[in-house]
Amino acid sequence: MTWPIVQISERAKGQIEKGSLWIFSNEFVSKIKGIKSGTWIDFHCRGQFVAYGYVNPHSLITGRVCSRTPVLDRKGLFLSLIERSLNRRKDFFEFGSYRAVFAESDWLSGLIVDVYENSKGTVLVAQSNTAGMDEARSDWQDALVKIFKPSGLVVKADSAIRRLEEIKNFTEVILGNEQELSQGQVLEDGVSFAADFVNGQKTGFFLDQRDNRLFLKKKSKSLKILDLCSYSGGWGISALSGGAQHVTFVDQSEEALALVTKGLALNDFSLERASLIKSDVFDFLEKNAEKFDVVVADPPAFIKSKKNMNQGLKAYAKLNSLALSKLAPGGVLYTCSCSFHLSESEFEKILIDEVQKARRECRVLFRGTQAGDHPWILNRPESKYLKCLGFKVE
């Protein structure tokens, strides 16, 4: 099959050759205003082929690259790229749940696929985040079904990125029973978590924090822990399995706390070891006088775009200031940011400022990032987003 051709600048060509998979609006030589969002394209520079991917004239990231060699069969491209992504993740199959496709890291910009194994088979939850992946949906869905033969497949298209792409949200159950998929389970290191693969956040569970949760689990025996923005209880339930004395779960979502309750029951944890509080975390922290041995602050991304950078910086500062005030002497704060637009150094500067204001002394015990099945590419910085720092406060 032949594809439409657009011309890109020498600069864009050079960036692609260095590993970038994004082409910005000011890097096009051809006029693309009239091209339909999600159209798959051959990118040329001075008449020579450079890459294959798709465009969205409404987005600042106007072009996205999926191959640096010519493509005649798009369905075949998806099969090949997904199979290659699985070969990179053989060490993660034993977990039962893992990320099989991670967007730019696997040359599939705009597509994420998580795998959840259970006794009834394999459930896949895919996120389509761009117009191009929406347009090619039949191709990558067919590839996923052929490779995994899943009992369940859910496509979720509800991320904040879609607003920037100017495309509508949707969620669709392609395979499986919707009710069963909304009452799913995730197994991690011998611990069970309740998950809603249809209506839950992201793909139903936050697999990217696996390594960071396991570190806390090993350090949680007999401790009193506060799990902020707990969602389904990934941090707190893992800590209980590691012997934590008590965990307070705080989330403003009733549905999230219902998942925590189910997760506690799945692991036969006594309700006496847990408190579930429906509240905005800032309100809770300002009104609650209790002290904890460990505080986990794992909020949603406060900085979803550069436009709300200042507002997001203030939110991270306030959250960490309040979290520090809830620690007993010698307590440990595990604090995270999943905002791509906030660099690791900027995040650490916020923490340093708040520690200094509180006149506390902190010693770093742990530095973490996204789990290895969410790989980040050294020359593709857009693939790195998660920061996690654990430090003891005296």
Side-chain angles (χ1 to χ4, degrees):
M1 181 174 179
T2 58
W3 309 96
I5 294 172
V6 296
Q7 300 291 330
I8 59 174
S9 68
E10 290 277 4
R11 182 186 182 281
K13 175 177 179 287
Q15 291 299 109
I16 292 170
E17 290 172 345
K18 291 177 182 177
S20 176
L21 303 185
W22 292 353
I23 307 170
F24 295 95
S25 56
N26 62 353
E27 295 178 318
F28 283 82
V29 176
S30 300
K31 291 183 179 180
I32 61 166
K33 193 172 183 180
I35 299 178
K36 182 182 175 183
S37 297
T39 299
W40 288 72
I41 292 284
D42 277 342
F43 299 108
H44 283 212
C45 180
R46 295 186 181 276
Q48 298 297 313
F49 176 87
V50 177
Y52 171 75
Y54 58 89
V55 296
N56 183 347
H58 302 297
S59 175
L60 176 62
I61 305 172
T62 309
R64 294 176 184 263
V65 171
C66 293
S67 175
R68 287 194 300 210
T69 57
V71 172
L72 297 178
D73 175 14
R74 189 175 65 187
K75 184 173 289 190
L77 173 69
F78 280 108
L79 275 168
S80 174
L81 290 177
I82 294 170
E83 286 173 345
R84 286 167 59 189
S85 74
L86 284 178
N87 285 334
R88 299 185 187 107
R89 290 168 170 80
K90 290 179 179 178
D91 292 341
F92 298 95
F93 292 173
E94 63 183 290
F95 291 110
S97 302
Y98 59 92
R99 176 148 293 181
V101 173
F102 183 41
E104 282 80 10
S105 291
D106 295 302
W107 289 82
L108 286 165
S109 183
L111 181 65
I112 286 171
V113 181
D114 284 347
V115 178
Y116 298 99
E117 304 281 0
N118 57 47
S119 59
K120 296 181 180 180
T122 300
V123 172
L124 304 181
V125 184
Q127 282 185 291
S128 181
N129 293 324
T130 58
M133 283 302 167
D134 282 3
E135 198 279 330
R137 185 152 71 104
S138 62
D139 287 347
W140 55 258
Q141 279 182 189
D142 288 350
L144 290 173
V145 171
K146 182 174 182 178
I147 292 168
F148 289 95
K149 298 177 176 56
S151 58
L153 171 58
V154 180
V155 175
K156 301 192 70 176
D158 56 3
S159 70
I161 298 172
R162 294 181 67 85
R163 288 197 295 273
L164 301 176
E165 289 271 311
E166 297 188 12
I167 47 179
K168 294 180 179 179
N169 290 354
F170 67 89
T171 297
E172 186 175 349
V173 176
I174 308 301
L175 293 172
N177 180 279
E178 183 170 341
Q179 184 175 0
E180 290 181 2
L181 290 167
S182 65
Q183 298 175 2
Q185 291 185 31
V186 177
L187 186 66
E188 178 180 279
D189 196 42
V191 184
S192 294
F193 301 90
D196 184 342
F197 298 129
V198 180
N199 305 300
Q201 296 180 27
K202 302 294 185 178
T203 68
F205 194 68
F206 292 91
L207 296 169
D208 53 0
Q209 291 279 19
R210 182 194 302 114
D211 297 346
N212 307 329
R213 285 191 293 259
L214 293 180
F215 183 87
L216 171 60
K217 178 181 177 181
K218 295 173 183 177
K219 305 289 183 181
S220 58
K221 189 173 182 180
S222 303
L223 298 181
K224 184 179 173 183
I225 295 174
L226 173 62
D227 185 358
L228 298 170
C229 305
S230 61
Y231 185 48
S232 59
W235 287 90
I237 291 176
S238 182
L240 286 170
S241 73
Q245 175 188 343
H246 187 277
V247 176
T248 299
F249 299 88
V250 181
D251 201 288
Q252 64 182 355
S253 166
E254 195 170 314
E255 292 78 13
L257 294 175
L259 292 173
V260 175
T261 301
K262 290 179 182 178
L264 294 170
L266 288 171
N267 295 282
D268 295 323
F269 291 145
S270 168
L271 291 177
E272 294 178 357
R273 296 177 65 193
S275 298
L276 280 67
I277 299 176
K278 182 180 181 296
S279 173
D280 172 84
V281 292
F282 292 104
D283 290 342
F284 171 83
L285 291 169
E286 287 172 342
K287 296 174 183 177
N288 187 282
E290 199 173 355
K291 299 290 185 179
F292 299 86
D293 300 311
V294 171
V295 175
V296 177
D298 183 15
F302 288 147
I303 305 172
K304 291 184 168 63
S305 69
K306 290 183 178 180
K307 290 181 181 179
N308 59 3
M309 176 67 79
N310 289 336
Q311 182 182 353
L313 291 174
K314 291 176 182 177
Y316 280 116
K318 183 177 180 180
L319 176 63
N320 284 283
S321 174
L322 291 169
L324 283 167
S325 72
K326 298 304 167 208
L327 283 171
V332 178
L333 173 62
Y334 291 89
T335 183
C336 310
S337 168
C338 60
S339 295
F340 160 72
H341 294 286
L342 181 67
S343 69
E344 192 168 15
S345 61
E346 289 170 324
F347 185 50
E348 289 184 11
K349 185 180 184 304
I350 292 171
L351 301 176
I352 291 169
D353 288 346
E354 296 311 314
V355 165
Q356 289 175 342
K357 290 176 186 176
R359 297 186 178 181
R360 309 288 291 270
E361 189 171 89
C362 299
R363 288 172 171 80
V364 175
L365 304 176
F366 175 77
R367 185 189 298 273
T369 185
Q370 62 229 45
D373 51 344
H374 300 58
W376 59 279
I377 312 301
L378 280 174
N379 61 341
R380 213 169 292 156
E382 61 268 24
S383 62
K384 184 180 183 182
Y385 66 97
L386 185 61
K387 286 77 64 177
C388 178
L389 204 65
F391 50 88
K392 190 170 186 177
V393 182
E394 297 175 356

